[in-house]
Amino acid sequence: MPDRSSEPIRWGIVGTGTMAGQFAEDLRLSEGAELAAVSSRNADKAKAFAARYGDHVTAHTTHTDLLGDSTVDAIYIATPNDTHFPLACAASESGKGVLVEKPLVTTSAQAVRLATLAAEQGVFLMEAMWTRFLPAIAKARSLIEEGAIGEVTRLRGSLAFYHPFDPESRFYAKEHGGGAMLDLGVYGISLARLLMGEPIEVAGEWRAAPTGVDMSASLTLNFSGDVKAHLSCAFDHEGENCFIIEGSRGTLVLPAPFIAARAVLQCSNGLAAQLAAFPGRSVPSRTIRKLAARLPFPGIRQHAFPYAGHGLGFEIEAASEAMRSGNTHHRLMSPLDSARTLEIVETVLDEANRLT
């Protein structure tokens, strides 16, 4: 990529789906970044997408044309999971920076190969694990490091969104890299590793959809100091979707949905923590959690971090600044870090762990 250290990073988006739209919208809110082009195999979709974001946005009908566009510095890949690897390889070989919607790719072996290629090409590469870049997550990390809740003893996180079974859906199609772990489970694994480091032991189990992909999964990560992270993900129900960090002198709660955290609830006693992380998926349970997150309660200190848009702006600005600085990865989200999360996914989804 040419030296444009004092200018905005000009982004090209591969795809025109939901995540592509959210990324384009948050680009408008981001410093040091702007949308330059989009590509889709459907010409009408590419033109309509480009028109929504200004006359300066170029619509390409092939991804190859986008990669060859000299007005584009970096590529955001927002296509189905199974296309991430070939598209990211092609983007890296084109000399452009690459940000890939999670999961980075579908296997740990692909992640290592892609990381090697990007390093050889000297280009930026990052998985768009946007949750890691949220201010609320940075605050949770600093509270842990400061000892605000004492020694961490346990982590708990669930992420489940109901998707009715459809064999043609990207959520359930094996050939498109479907499954709850790749779509949702990577969030909890990535966050637990960010907070606690590398697990020394991994255990889990999963249930299959009729197409053979995982419809639900649960896992336990054992960290040094006998700290355990109990995580789960699913497509067959709506979950509590909180992330809870328990310590010897308090608890931190990232309210639902934790992947888009706008606050950290610092709970100084057991009752406060029970309210902030009240179990259950019923309307009363969700109402109690919302009230605890929004109203003053004894024993709960609210650290609020509201933001405009969808929350993708923080990763956009971080990736853009890293590229302007000439870095090939970001310290918060390296490609090999993504590979390690995929190794854990593969361990859990071993056929021996499949429930019947």
Side-chain angles (χ1 to χ4, degrees):
M1 187 177 74
D3 179 19
R4 303 183 67 251
S5 57
S6 61
E7 299 179 37
I9 296 296
R10 302 167 300 184
W11 287 88
I13 299 176
V14 180
T16 57
T18 300
M19 289 307 301
Q22 291 183 1
F23 191 87
E25 289 165 13
D26 280 10
L27 268 171
R28 288 174 162 174
L29 306 173
S30 303
E31 295 288 336
E34 61 186 30
L35 180 60
V38 63
S39 69
S40 173
R41 290 173 296 182
N42 184 308
D44 291 336
K45 286 185 177 180
K47 291 175 183 177
F49 190 99
R52 288 204 302 271
Y53 299 102
D55 295 338
H56 67 286
V57 181
T58 302
H60 293 289
T61 55
T62 72
H63 304 323
T64 301
D65 287 345
L66 175 61
L67 298 182
D69 188 335
S70 61
T71 69
V72 173
D73 302 312
I75 301 295
Y76 170 63
I77 296 172
T79 50
N81 295 347
D82 63 306
T83 67
H84 289 185
F85 181 66
L87 286 172
C89 286
S92 294
E93 290 171 342
S94 77
K96 300 187 187 300
V98 188
L99 180 65
V100 187
E101 184 49 45
K102 61 81 206 157
L104 178 66
V105 286
T106 57
T107 71
S108 60
Q110 287 180 345
V112 172
R113 288 169 59 193
L114 181 57
T116 301
L117 175 62
E120 291 172 349
Q121 296 292 322
V123 297
F124 180 84
L125 172 66
M126 189 175 91
E127 178 184 22
M129 186 55 71
W130 58 288
T131 301
R132 284 195 174 198
F133 295 87
L134 296 174
I137 302 303
K139 182 62 176 180
R141 291 183 73 195
S142 67
L143 288 170
I144 292 170
E145 291 167 1
E146 293 164 8
I149 59 170
E151 295 293 324
V152 174
T153 57
R154 184 172 66 157
L155 287 74
R156 291 182 284 140
S158 69
L159 193 60
F161 297 107
Y162 178 65
H163 295 289
F165 178 71
D166 176 358
E168 303 300 319
S169 164
R170 70 171 182 87
F171 297 112
Y172 291 104
K174 199 166 192 175
E175 64 273 21
H176 292 313
M181 283 288 278
L182 286 178
D183 192 67
L184 300 175
V186 290
Y187 282 110
I189 296 170
S190 183
L191 181 54
R193 292 180 52 249
L194 178 69
L195 298 175
M196 302 306 303
E198 287 304 320
I200 56 179
E201 187 178 4
V202 177
E205 57 189 23
W206 60 284
R207 291 187 183 279
T211 51
V213 303
D214 53 302
M215 184 166 54
S216 64
S218 60
L219 63 149
T220 300
L221 306 180
N222 292 334
F223 297 95
S224 62
D226 199 31
V227 178
K228 290 181 171 56
H230 301 288
L231 309 172
S232 64
C233 60
F235 289 155
D236 59 357
H237 67 272
E238 289 290 324
E240 296 169 7
N241 300 339
C242 303
F243 198 95
I244 303 157
I245 305 143
E246 299 176 1
S248 57
R249 294 191 289 107
T251 299
L252 301 179
V253 176
L254 298 170
F258 76 82
I259 60 173
R262 286 177 163 84
V264 182
L265 306 183
Q266 183 179 349
C267 307
S268 59
N269 58 61
L271 178 59
Q274 288 176 19
L275 289 173
F278 198 83
R281 298 187 292 272
S282 65
V283 172
S285 296
R286 293 199 300 270
T287 300
I288 290 172
R289 289 195 294 270
K290 287 180 180 178
L291 291 175
R294 298 174 183 176
L295 299 178
F297 275 94
I300 300 179
R301 182 179 178 185
Q302 300 178 21
H303 303 276
F305 300 92
Y307 55 78
H310 304 281
L312 307 184
F314 302 106
E315 74 170 3
I316 290 171
E317 292 182 357
S320 297
E321 180 56 35
M323 282 184 272
R324 271 194 301 275
S325 299
N327 297 321
T328 56
H329 65 272
H330 194 282
R331 58 181 177 80
L332 276 183
M333 195 71 253
S334 74
L336 292 180
D337 191 310
S338 299
R340 178 57 183 140
T341 289
L342 288 168
E343 287 176 357
I344 292 172
V345 169
E346 289 162 355
T347 297
V348 173
L349 295 183
D350 187 282
E351 190 64 26
N353 298 323
R354 178 172 175 171
L355 298 174
T356 57

